[in-house]
Amino acid sequence: MSSTTAPTEAAVLQALRSVQDPDLHRDIVALGFVKDLRICGGNVAFQIELTTPACPVKDLMKSQAERAVRAVPGVEQVTVEMTASVTASRPVLGDKGMIPGVKNVIAVSSGKGGVGKSTVAVNLACALHRAGARVGILDADVYGPNVPLMLGATGQPQVVDKKIVPFVRHGVQVMSMALLVAEDQPVIWRGPMLHSAVRQFLFDVAWQNLDYLVVDLPPGTGDAQLSLSQQAHLMGAVIVTTPQDVSVLDVKKAIRMFQTVNVPILGVVENMAWFTPPGHTERYHLFGSGGGARIEREFGVPLLGQIPIEMPVREGGDHGTPVVVSAPDSAAAQALTAIAAKVAQRVSILNAE
């Protein structure tokens, strides 16, 4: 039997104060991240509850915590369990605009069409789910809804207790106008009808305990964007662009629009950044380069990442299995997964502020 004195709770907590959250700039004890601390002789076990399961530095924080506690006299074994409880955004005016069952609403927008906005939105939702979050996606592009195709969702949704029940595909809750109208039927609506539809999709859908609701907006700065920002509390917006100048010009307009309605810009995603032929390493910048970096410099919004052009991205969208699910080791999927982690990171920081 060892004669070494068992470590105390105070000593363990003091050691853990050396572990800092690099985004919130405070130690994990002060932040209340340390949960369920148990000490049995020389064995110490505890949880670190982060503000998102997609935290990009969770492995680093775990190793730092293990190392800090192992240095406490009397400690023989350390067991750390990493958990997460996503923080909910709160509007300035009480609960106005809060959607039942949803903690954070993230809009995905673009200044123009054809930049892969829906592809980014769908993969962002799937990547957040794969990281352990509860995620839904709302296809608010009522004139050209593509999300159900990209996720392989078909059929008519059910209505239970006057609420529309979303489909679930790849673990993500899904709702879209495409699920409510015939495939070849165009939606011809004026502003007030669109406004009403957006509200119904937000508040009359039975969203189930979502950490993040990703909203795929139509391109541009029209009625759908204004309706969403007026009716729901938006945690923030992710703006998708391609490198060429014409797309960057339109992104500037989108940024100004969200700033006008007081929606934080979580960051910019540069899609179709380059192409690398199979079996080669050279990068060919088919649409130019540096667009996202220019936006970052001019507006002070972070460049969340760059996504290369790859066949699995297109194939995944056509077949209803997004690339982060169908080919998670591909360069595009890894880029999208890293972007999702940065989005979650930005949400946590803004909620803490």
Side-chain angles (χ1 to χ4, degrees), residues 121-149:
V122 164
N123 280 281
L124 175 62
C126 288
L128 288 170
H129 166 71
R130 288 171 65 83
R134 297 183 296 271
V135 187
I137 184 166
L138 169 60
D139 188 353
D141 189 352
V142 298
Y143 299 120
N146 294 315
V147 167
L149 171 66

PDB file of all heavy atoms in Angstrom, residues 121-149:
ATOM      1  N   ALA A 121     -23.426  25.011 -47.175  1.00  0.00           N
ATOM      2  CA  ALA A 121     -24.397  24.938 -46.079  1.00  0.00           C
ATOM      3  C   ALA A 121     -24.669  23.497 -45.675  1.00  0.00           C
ATOM      4  O   ALA A 121     -24.678  23.157 -44.482  1.00  0.00           O
ATOM      5  CB  ALA A 121     -25.697  25.629 -46.490  1.00  0.00           C
ATOM      6  N   VAL A 122     -24.888  22.630 -46.658  1.00  0.00           N
ATOM      7  CA  VAL A 122     -25.196  21.227 -46.380  1.00  0.00           C
ATOM      8  C   VAL A 122     -24.016  20.534 -45.713  1.00  0.00           C
ATOM      9  O   VAL A 122     -24.172  19.799 -44.726  1.00  0.00           O
ATOM     10  CB  VAL A 122     -25.593  20.522 -47.690  1.00  0.00           C
ATOM     11  CG1 VAL A 122     -25.533  19.017 -47.530  1.00  0.00           C
ATOM     12  CG2 VAL A 122     -26.982  20.953 -48.140  1.00  0.00           C
ATOM     13  N   ASN A 123     -22.828  20.747 -46.220  1.00  0.00           N
ATOM     14  CA  ASN A 123     -21.651  20.112 -45.636  1.00  0.00           C
ATOM     15  C   ASN A 123     -21.313  20.691 -44.271  1.00  0.00           C
ATOM     16  O   ASN A 123     -20.823  19.970 -43.389  1.00  0.00           O
ATOM     17  CB  ASN A 123     -20.463  20.231 -46.587  1.00  0.00           C
ATOM     18  CG  ASN A 123     -20.499  19.206 -47.702  1.00  0.00           C
ATOM     19  OD1 ASN A 123     -20.137  18.048 -47.501  1.00  0.00           O
ATOM     20  ND2 ASN A 123     -20.948  19.617 -48.880  1.00  0.00           N
ATOM     21  N   LEU A 124     -21.565  21.978 -44.086  1.00  0.00           N
ATOM     22  CA  LEU A 124     -21.362  22.593 -42.777  1.00  0.00           C
ATOM     23  C   LEU A 124     -22.270  21.929 -41.737  1.00  0.00           C
ATOM     24  O   LEU A 124     -21.826  21.572 -40.640  1.00  0.00           O
ATOM     25  CB  LEU A 124     -21.656  24.090 -42.861  1.00  0.00           C
ATOM     26  CG  LEU A 124     -21.619  24.897 -41.560  1.00  0.00           C
ATOM     27  CD1 LEU A 124     -20.237  24.852 -40.936  1.00  0.00           C
ATOM     28  CD2 LEU A 124     -22.031  26.348 -41.814  1.00  0.00           C
ATOM     29  N   ALA A 125     -23.549  21.735 -42.100  1.00  0.00           N
ATOM     30  CA  ALA A 125     -24.485  21.084 -41.184  1.00  0.00           C
ATOM     31  C   ALA A 125     -24.052  19.660 -40.866  1.00  0.00           C
ATOM     32  O   ALA A 125     -24.052  19.240 -39.699  1.00  0.00           O
ATOM     33  CB  ALA A 125     -25.888  21.100 -41.788  1.00  0.00           C
ATOM     34  N   CYS A 126     -23.668  18.908 -41.890  1.00  0.00           N
ATOM     35  CA  CYS A 126     -23.251  17.515 -41.673  1.00  0.00           C
ATOM     36  C   CYS A 126     -21.966  17.433 -40.867  1.00  0.00           C
ATOM     37  O   CYS A 126     -21.809  16.546 -40.010  1.00  0.00           O
ATOM     38  CB  CYS A 126     -23.087  16.804 -43.011  1.00  0.00           C
ATOM     39  SG  CYS A 126     -24.642  16.440 -43.854  1.00  0.00           S
ATOM     40  N   ALA A 127     -21.040  18.337 -41.102  1.00  0.00           N
ATOM     41  CA  ALA A 127     -19.775  18.327 -40.358  1.00  0.00           C
ATOM     42  C   ALA A 127     -20.007  18.649 -38.882  1.00  0.00           C
ATOM     43  O   ALA A 127     -19.384  18.038 -37.998  1.00  0.00           O
ATOM     44  CB  ALA A 127     -18.795  19.321 -40.980  1.00  0.00           C
ATOM     45  N   LEU A 128     -20.884  19.592 -38.595  1.00  0.00           N
ATOM     46  CA  LEU A 128     -21.199  19.904 -37.198  1.00  0.00           C
ATOM     47  C   LEU A 128     -21.856  18.708 -36.512  1.00  0.00           C
ATOM     48  O   LEU A 128     -21.559  18.404 -35.352  1.00  0.00           O
ATOM     49  CB  LEU A 128     -22.119  21.133 -37.133  1.00  0.00           C
ATOM     50  CG  LEU A 128     -21.466  22.469 -37.458  1.00  0.00           C
ATOM     51  CD1 LEU A 128     -22.529  23.561 -37.605  1.00  0.00           C
ATOM     52  CD2 LEU A 128     -20.444  22.864 -36.383  1.00  0.00           C
ATOM     53  N   HIS A 129     -22.733  18.015 -37.236  1.00  0.00           N
ATOM     54  CA  HIS A 129     -23.350  16.815 -36.664  1.00  0.00           C
ATOM     55  C   HIS A 129     -22.307  15.735 -36.403  1.00  0.00           C
ATOM     56  O   HIS A 129     -22.318  15.080 -35.346  1.00  0.00           O
ATOM     57  CB  HIS A 129     -24.425  16.270 -37.603  1.00  0.00           C
ATOM     58  CG  HIS A 129     -24.862  14.876 -37.250  1.00  0.00           C
ATOM     59  ND1 HIS A 129     -25.619  14.593 -36.128  1.00  0.00           N
ATOM     60  CD2 HIS A 129     -24.603  13.676 -37.846  1.00  0.00           C
ATOM     61  CE1 HIS A 129     -25.820  13.284 -36.051  1.00  0.00           C
ATOM     62  NE2 HIS A 129     -25.221  12.709 -37.073  1.00  0.00           N
ATOM     63  N   ARG A 130     -21.400  15.522 -37.347  1.00  0.00           N
ATOM     64  CA  ARG A 130     -20.380  14.492 -37.179  1.00  0.00           C
ATOM     65  C   ARG A 130     -19.449  14.808 -36.013  1.00  0.00           C
ATOM     66  O   ARG A 130     -18.848  13.905 -35.423  1.00  0.00           O
ATOM     67  CB  ARG A 130     -19.580  14.338 -38.473  1.00  0.00           C
ATOM     68  CG  ARG A 130     -20.373  13.651 -39.586  1.00  0.00           C
ATOM     69  CD  ARG A 130     -19.634  13.714 -40.929  1.00  0.00           C
ATOM     70  NE  ARG A 130     -18.405  12.966 -40.913  1.00  0.00           N
ATOM     71  CZ  ARG A 130     -18.297  11.644 -41.108  1.00  0.00           C
ATOM     72  NH1 ARG A 130     -19.377  10.931 -41.338  1.00  0.00           N
ATOM     73  NH2 ARG A 130     -17.121  11.047 -41.084  1.00  0.00           N
ATOM     74  N   ALA A 131     -19.339  16.092 -35.665  1.00  0.00           N
ATOM     75  CA  ALA A 131     -18.519  16.477 -34.513  1.00  0.00           C
ATOM     76  C   ALA A 131     -19.237  16.220 -33.194  1.00  0.00           C
ATOM     77  O   ALA A 131     -18.617  16.297 -32.132  1.00  0.00           O
ATOM     78  CB  ALA A 131     -18.139  17.954 -34.621  1.00  0.00           C
ATOM     79  N   GLY A 132     -20.550  15.936 -33.264  1.00  0.00           N
ATOM     80  CA  GLY A 132     -21.295  15.633 -32.046  1.00  0.00           C
ATOM     81  C   GLY A 132     -22.403  16.597 -31.702  1.00  0.00           C
ATOM     82  O   GLY A 132     -23.061  16.451 -30.667  1.00  0.00           O
ATOM     83  N   ALA A 133     -22.639  17.592 -32.559  1.00  0.00           N
ATOM     84  CA  ALA A 133     -23.682  18.578 -32.286  1.00  0.00           C
ATOM     85  C   ALA A 133     -25.029  18.123 -32.842  1.00  0.00           C
ATOM     86  O   ALA A 133     -25.092  17.276 -33.733  1.00  0.00           O
ATOM     87  CB  ALA A 133     -23.295  19.929 -32.889  1.00  0.00           C
ATOM     88  N   ARG A 134     -26.104  18.700 -32.305  1.00  0.00           N
ATOM     89  CA  ARG A 134     -27.452  18.464 -32.822  1.00  0.00           C
ATOM     90  C   ARG A 134     -27.760  19.591 -33.813  1.00  0.00           C
ATOM     91  O   ARG A 134     -27.771  20.770 -33.437  1.00  0.00           O
ATOM     92  CB  ARG A 134     -28.471  18.436 -31.687  1.00  0.00           C
ATOM     93  CG  ARG A 134     -28.238  17.281 -30.698  1.00  0.00           C
ATOM     94  CD  ARG A 134     -29.317  17.235 -29.625  1.00  0.00           C
ATOM     95  NE  ARG A 134     -29.290  18.434 -28.790  1.00  0.00           N
ATOM     96  CZ  ARG A 134     -28.554  18.566 -27.691  1.00  0.00           C
ATOM     97  NH1 ARG A 134     -27.767  17.579 -27.308  1.00  0.00           N
ATOM     98  NH2 ARG A 134     -28.591  19.668 -26.985  1.00  0.00           N
ATOM     99  N   VAL A 135     -28.024  19.215 -35.058  1.00  0.00           N
ATOM    100  CA  VAL A 135     -28.036  20.199 -36.146  1.00  0.00           C
ATOM    101  C   VAL A 135     -29.275  20.037 -37.018  1.00  0.00           C
ATOM    102  O   VAL A 135     -29.745  18.921 -37.264  1.00  0.00           O
ATOM    103  CB  VAL A 135     -26.777  20.052 -37.032  1.00  0.00           C
ATOM    104  CG1 VAL A 135     -26.702  21.189 -38.058  1.00  0.00           C
ATOM    105  CG2 VAL A 135     -25.514  20.039 -36.177  1.00  0.00           C
ATOM    106  N   GLY A 136     -29.791  21.162 -37.488  1.00  0.00           N
ATOM    107  CA  GLY A 136     -30.845  21.172 -38.495  1.00  0.00           C
ATOM    108  C   GLY A 136     -30.451  22.096 -39.630  1.00  0.00           C
ATOM    109  O   GLY A 136     -29.567  22.946 -39.471  1.00  0.00           O
ATOM    110  N   ILE A 137     -31.079  21.921 -40.778  1.00  0.00           N
ATOM    111  CA  ILE A 137     -30.837  22.824 -41.902  1.00  0.00           C
ATOM    112  C   ILE A 137     -32.170  23.226 -42.504  1.00  0.00           C
ATOM    113  O   ILE A 137     -33.038  22.386 -42.754  1.00  0.00           O
ATOM    114  CB  ILE A 137     -29.901  22.196 -42.961  1.00  0.00           C
ATOM    115  CG1 ILE A 137     -29.593  23.223 -44.062  1.00  0.00           C
ATOM    116  CG2 ILE A 137     -30.457  20.906 -43.534  1.00  0.00           C
ATOM    117  CD1 ILE A 137     -28.419  22.821 -44.961  1.00  0.00           C
ATOM    118  N   LEU A 138     -32.348  24.514 -42.687  1.00  0.00           N
ATOM    119  CA  LEU A 138     -33.549  25.067 -43.293  1.00  0.00           C
ATOM    120  C   LEU A 138     -33.184  25.639 -44.657  1.00  0.00           C
ATOM    121  O   LEU A 138     -32.323  26.514 -44.767  1.00  0.00           O
ATOM    122  CB  LEU A 138     -34.134  26.174 -42.409  1.00  0.00           C
ATOM    123  CG  LEU A 138     -35.248  27.025 -43.022  1.00  0.00           C
ATOM    124  CD1 LEU A 138     -36.431  26.167 -43.412  1.00  0.00           C
ATOM    125  CD2 LEU A 138     -35.672  28.127 -42.057  1.00  0.00           C
ATOM    126  N   ASP A 139     -33.829  25.124 -45.683  1.00  0.00           N
ATOM    127  CA  ASP A 139     -33.621  25.612 -47.043  1.00  0.00           C
ATOM    128  C   ASP A 139     -34.567  26.781 -47.266  1.00  0.00           C
ATOM    129  O   ASP A 139     -35.742  26.608 -47.566  1.00  0.00           O
ATOM    130  CB  ASP A 139     -33.915  24.477 -48.031  1.00  0.00           C
ATOM    131  CG  ASP A 139     -33.543  24.829 -49.461  1.00  0.00           C
ATOM    132  OD1 ASP A 139     -33.178  26.000 -49.700  1.00  0.00           O
ATOM    133  OD2 ASP A 139     -33.632  23.946 -50.323  1.00  0.00           O
ATOM    134  N   ALA A 140     -34.065  27.994 -47.084  1.00  0.00           N
ATOM    135  CA  ALA A 140     -34.884  29.197 -47.231  1.00  0.00           C
ATOM    136  C   ALA A 140     -34.847  29.760 -48.643  1.00  0.00           C
ATOM    137  O   ALA A 140     -35.420  30.822 -48.891  1.00  0.00           O
ATOM    138  CB  ALA A 140     -34.422  30.267 -46.237  1.00  0.00           C
ATOM    139  N   ASP A 141     -34.196  29.059 -49.549  1.00  0.00           N
ATOM    140  CA  ASP A 141     -34.186  29.470 -50.955  1.00  0.00           C
ATOM    141  C   ASP A 141     -35.443  28.892 -51.610  1.00  0.00           C
ATOM    142  O   ASP A 141     -35.403  27.865 -52.289  1.00  0.00           O
ATOM    143  CB  ASP A 141     -32.922  28.965 -51.641  1.00  0.00           C
ATOM    144  CG  ASP A 141     -32.742  29.536 -53.046  1.00  0.00           C
ATOM    145  OD1 ASP A 141     -33.685  30.208 -53.526  1.00  0.00           O
ATOM    146  OD2 ASP A 141     -31.691  29.304 -53.652  1.00  0.00           O
ATOM    147  N   VAL A 142     -36.583  29.562 -51.403  1.00  0.00           N
ATOM    148  CA  VAL A 142     -37.859  28.993 -51.834  1.00  0.00           C
ATOM    149  C   VAL A 142     -37.996  28.960 -53.348  1.00  0.00           C
ATOM    150  O   VAL A 142     -38.776  28.164 -53.893  1.00  0.00           O
ATOM    151  CB  VAL A 142     -39.046  29.763 -51.220  1.00  0.00           C
ATOM    152  CG1 VAL A 142     -39.014  29.666 -49.705  1.00  0.00           C
ATOM    153  CG2 VAL A 142     -39.057  31.218 -51.658  1.00  0.00           C
ATOM    154  N   TYR A 143     -37.240  29.791 -54.063  1.00  0.00           N
ATOM    155  CA  TYR A 143     -37.356  29.829 -55.520  1.00  0.00           C
ATOM    156  C   TYR A 143     -36.488  28.769 -56.202  1.00  0.00           C
ATOM    157  O   TYR A 143     -36.776  28.345 -57.323  1.00  0.00           O
ATOM    158  CB  TYR A 143     -36.980  31.208 -56.045  1.00  0.00           C
ATOM    159  CG  TYR A 143     -37.870  32.307 -55.508  1.00  0.00           C
ATOM    160  CD1 TYR A 143     -37.342  33.358 -54.773  1.00  0.00           C
ATOM    161  CD2 TYR A 143     -39.249  32.297 -55.735  1.00  0.00           C
ATOM    162  CE1 TYR A 143     -38.157  34.361 -54.281  1.00  0.00           C
ATOM    163  CE2 TYR A 143     -40.065  33.293 -55.244  1.00  0.00           C
ATOM    164  CZ  TYR A 143     -39.518  34.328 -54.512  1.00  0.00           C
ATOM    165  OH  TYR A 143     -40.326  35.317 -54.017  1.00  0.00           O
ATOM    166  N   GLY A 144     -35.422  28.357 -55.533  1.00  0.00           N
ATOM    167  CA  GLY A 144     -34.550  27.335 -56.116  1.00  0.00           C
ATOM    168  C   GLY A 144     -34.010  26.410 -55.050  1.00  0.00           C
ATOM    169  O   GLY A 144     -32.801  26.347 -54.819  1.00  0.00           O
ATOM    170  N   PRO A 145     -34.895  25.669 -54.362  1.00  0.00           N
ATOM    171  CA  PRO A 145     -34.445  24.826 -53.245  1.00  0.00           C
ATOM    172  C   PRO A 145     -33.691  23.585 -53.711  1.00  0.00           C
ATOM    173  O   PRO A 145     -34.208  22.791 -54.482  1.00  0.00           O
ATOM    174  CB  PRO A 145     -35.763  24.449 -52.549  1.00  0.00           C
ATOM    175  CG  PRO A 145     -36.793  24.516 -53.644  1.00  0.00           C
ATOM    176  CD  PRO A 145     -36.346  25.597 -54.583  1.00  0.00           C
ATOM    177  N   ASN A 146     -32.469  23.418 -53.224  1.00  0.00           N
ATOM    178  CA  ASN A 146     -31.624  22.290 -53.625  1.00  0.00           C
ATOM    179  C   ASN A 146     -31.213  21.397 -52.466  1.00  0.00           C
ATOM    180  O   ASN A 146     -30.663  20.312 -52.679  1.00  0.00           O
ATOM    181  CB  ASN A 146     -30.345  22.806 -54.307  1.00  0.00           C
ATOM    182  CG  ASN A 146     -30.634  23.502 -55.619  1.00  0.00           C
ATOM    183  OD1 ASN A 146     -31.410  23.001 -56.426  1.00  0.00           O
ATOM    184  ND2 ASN A 146     -30.028  24.660 -55.825  1.00  0.00           N
ATOM    185  N   VAL A 147     -31.459  21.844 -51.240  1.00  0.00           N
ATOM    186  CA  VAL A 147     -30.970  21.103 -50.072  1.00  0.00           C
ATOM    187  C   VAL A 147     -31.500  19.674 -50.017  1.00  0.00           C
ATOM    188  O   VAL A 147     -30.728  18.742 -49.742  1.00  0.00           O
ATOM    189  CB  VAL A 147     -31.280  21.881 -48.778  1.00  0.00           C
ATOM    190  CG1 VAL A 147     -31.086  21.006 -47.552  1.00  0.00           C
ATOM    191  CG2 VAL A 147     -30.388  23.119 -48.694  1.00  0.00           C
ATOM    192  N   PRO A 148     -32.810  19.422 -50.259  1.00  0.00           N
ATOM    193  CA  PRO A 148     -33.277  18.027 -50.192  1.00  0.00           C
ATOM    194  C   PRO A 148     -32.549  17.101 -51.166  1.00  0.00           C
ATOM    195  O   PRO A 148     -32.226  15.960 -50.817  1.00  0.00           O
ATOM    196  CB  PRO A 148     -34.766  18.139 -50.544  1.00  0.00           C
ATOM    197  CG  PRO A 148     -35.145  19.510 -50.116  1.00  0.00           C
ATOM    198  CD  PRO A 148     -33.942  20.352 -50.449  1.00  0.00           C
ATOM    199  N   LEU A 149     -32.279  17.582 -52.389  1.00  0.00           N
ATOM    200  CA  LEU A 149     -31.531  16.776 -53.354  1.00  0.00           C
ATOM    201  C   LEU A 149     -30.149  16.458 -52.818  1.00  0.00           C
ATOM    202  O   LEU A 149     -29.675  15.313 -52.895  1.00  0.00           O
ATOM    203  CB  LEU A 149     -31.420  17.521 -54.687  1.00  0.00           C
ATOM    204  CG  LEU A 149     -30.474  16.902 -55.720  1.00  0.00           C
ATOM    205  CD1 LEU A 149     -31.000  15.547 -56.186  1.00  0.00           C
ATOM    206  CD2 LEU A 149     -30.292  17.845 -56.921  1.00  0.00           C
TER     207      LEU A 149
END
